[in-house]
């Protein structure tokens, strides 16, 4: 009897982490150049909607939370 493997790949998690780093870097690079609403719109366009991003323009900190 053959068993089917679930469609899970270790590359998915790696891709997710790389995407988070990419978006976090994008936010840090643009938080002084764009308004919060412009930045939020750009992040939504880049995001997979699995992660929520918050940033503080005073401290320059960016946080990412999985939904």
């Amino acid at each position: 009897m053959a068993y089917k493997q679930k469609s899970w790949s270790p590359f998915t998690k790696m891709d997710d982490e790389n995407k988070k780093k990419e978006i976090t870097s994008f936010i840090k690079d643009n938080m002084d150049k764009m308004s919060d609403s412009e930045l939020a719109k750009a992040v939504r366009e880049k995001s997979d909607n699995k992660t929520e991003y918050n940033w503080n323009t005073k401290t320059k900190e960016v946080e990412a939370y999985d939904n």
Side-chain angles (χ1 to χ4, degrees):
M1 183 182 334
Y3 292 97
K4 287 187 178 182
Q5 182 179 0
K6 288 185 177 183
S7 62
W8 178 87
S9 168
F11 297 107
T12 302
K13 187 65 173 168
M14 185 174 70
D15 289 345
D16 290 348
E17 290 303 314
N18 288 338
K19 191 68 166 173
K20 277 186 194 178
K21 288 178 186 176
E22 175 188 327
I23 293 173
T24 299
S25 177
F26 174 81
I27 292 169
K28 285 182 179 183
D29 291 344
N30 289 290
M31 66 172 57
D32 291 332
K33 299 173 189 169
M34 302 170 85
S35 70
D36 281 347
S37 61
E38 291 171 324
L39 193 52
K41 181 180 177 186
V43 168
R44 277 193 305 273
E45 289 172 359
K46 292 178 173 294
S47 179
D48 57 7
N49 296 319
K50 296 179 184 176
T51 306
E52 179 180 332
Y53 297 89
N54 297 311
W55 56 90
N56 185 321
T57 55
K58 291 180 183 176
T59 63
K60 307 298 183 211
E61 294 292 320
V62 179
E63 300 171 338
Y65 300 99
D66 291 333
N67 287 336

